[in-house]
Amino acid sequence: MTSATILGLSGLTLTETERAFFREAQPWGFILFARNIDTPDQVLRLTSDLREAVGRDAPVLIDQEGGRVQRMRAPHWREWLPPLEQAAFPDPERSFWLRARIMADELRAVGVDSNCAPCCDIAGPQTHPFLRNRCMGEDAATVARNARASAMGFLAGGVLPVIKHIPGHGRATADSHKDLPLVEACAEDLIAQDFAAFQPLHDMPMAMTAHIRFAAFDDAPATQSPVMVDLIRQVIGFDGLLMSDDLSMQALSGSIRQRAEATMAAGCDITLHCNGERSEMEEAVVGAGTLSDAAKTRAAAAIARRAMREAVDIAVLERELADLLQASGV
């Protein structure tokens, strides 16, 4: 049985104890961080070892947004502009598609086939600095266009995009890694603006929830709120695989097992646990349980889109992107 978890690991190589644990736990997928990244050859060996441990072609995720949130960096990989900075350039839709398609080529070359991007959150004057320049615009229509172009670029390269942080993190004035942000905007404004940025991407294969309390709807964080998960499904119309943000973030309370249980009870398909701590991962696996029938269907649909890779000349795309950025004065 497949666990309803995506798990991290401790270092650059898969330890024997991790290998045995993953073989037994059978997480649906894995996620890599900077602590797991050194050289292309090393990352490719690691992703191969992870899949060998579970005996299947499990998804391997990463946060490769560009700017501050970029796990694979120079000198082995390209450095990318912060998304909000690139959004200010002429023809951002084309440049975001190019950027994502080139990035997808880098990811697939080392065995990574899902990227926790793009951020579909709207950058506003109150947006916390941890998030603001990771956004793709300052209004719903702009964010939706740029995010869709980026997501389609990833899909064209055989990489599953994970749109985040659904239903919208932009109004948060606190860092959800440290605290539970409270958003007090009225329901009408949230639906018309923040949530509207996600609606044009309702057909994407995967999405990540926001650890935010929306006072107009519920007292629980969106990740653990049946009300908010129902809104994601019914109002936004998203029917892809819904994964939580990291369970170990301090926006959530209780033990890791309790956090996983509450997340699954709210209606999420899969829980995410990132820090690679063995005892916490064991709790996450117990709390999350196994994939539901609905989650299995959504997971299969997502994985099928991973194979839709289109052949391109990356050098040609690089020149086009460079020309667009140079025309913008970069």
Side-chain angles (χ1 to χ4, degrees), residues 16-67:
E16 288 307 311
T17 56
E18 286 174 329
R19 189 187 302 273
F21 170 67
F22 291 145
R23 183 180 300 113
E24 177 68 21
Q26 286 293 312
W28 182 75
F30 300 96
I31 188 165
L32 303 184
F33 283 83
R35 66 180 182 269
N36 310 123
I37 307 295
D38 185 14
T39 67
D41 286 346
Q42 170 267 324
V43 179
L44 183 58
R45 284 195 300 272
L46 179 58
T47 55
S48 298
D49 286 346
L50 288 168
R51 291 183 171 111
E52 183 182 19
V54 293
R56 55 190 160 81
D57 191 12
V60 178
L61 294 78
I62 200 167
D63 292 289
Q64 190 77 348
E65 299 173 10

Side-chain angles (χ1 to χ4, degrees), residues 64-149:
Q64 190 77 348
E65 299 173 10
R68 289 181 298 108
V69 179
Q70 181 174 331
R71 313 306 184 195
M72 293 163 47
R73 310 204 75 112
H76 299 294
W77 297 279
R78 299 166 181 83
E79 293 287 336
W80 301 96
L81 292 170
L84 190 60
E85 185 175 331
Q86 186 164 325
F89 297 161
D91 201 2
E93 289 179 72
R94 181 60 180 171
S95 73
F96 274 120
W97 187 92
L98 290 165
R99 164 193 176 114
R101 180 63 187 85
I102 297 165
M103 193 182 291
D105 201 62
E106 291 188 310
L107 296 175
R108 284 298 295 255
V110 294
V112 176
D113 54 14
S114 183
N115 192 11
C116 297
C119 285
C120 303
D121 310 305
I122 299 172
Q126 79 290 339
T127 304
H128 193 282
F130 101 91
L131 178 66
R132 181 176 166 80
N133 73 350
R134 299 163 58 192
C135 301
M136 308 189 85
E138 298 180 325
D139 62 84
T142 298
V143 169
R145 287 194 301 269
N146 291 340
R148 186 164 191 87

Side-chain angles (χ1 to χ4, degrees), residues 311-327:
V312 294
D313 188 329
I314 293 295
V316 170
L317 300 187
E318 286 180 312
R319 287 194 294 272
E320 183 182 353
L321 180 58
D323 288 345
L324 283 173
L325 299 182
Q326 185 174 16

Side-chain angles (χ1 to χ4, degrees), residues 142-161:
T142 298
V143 169
R145 287 194 301 269
N146 291 340
R148 186 164 191 87
S150 181
M152 296 306 292
F154 287 128
L155 284 169
V159 169
L160 300 177

Side-chain angles (χ1 to χ4, degrees), residues 250-321:
Q250 296 311 302
L252 304 182
S253 60
S255 68
I256 296 296
R257 176 174 177 171
Q258 290 169 332
R259 298 178 191 191
E261 289 172 342
T263 297
M264 298 302 292
C268 288
D269 294 314
I270 286 184
T271 60
L272 174 67
H273 186 273
C274 295
N275 66 25
E277 292 290 335
R278 172 67 178 272
S279 61
E280 290 192 8
M281 290 194 291
E282 290 174 348
E283 287 193 59
V285 169
V286 172
T290 58
L291 292 178
S292 68
D293 289 343
K296 289 176 184 177
T297 299
R298 294 180 182 123
I303 288 174
R305 298 182 71 175
R306 176 174 71 172
M308 300 176 186
R309 194 176 184 185
E310 301 171 6
V312 294
D313 188 329
I314 293 295
V316 170
L317 300 187
E318 286 180 312
R319 287 194 294 272
E320 183 182 353
L321 180 58

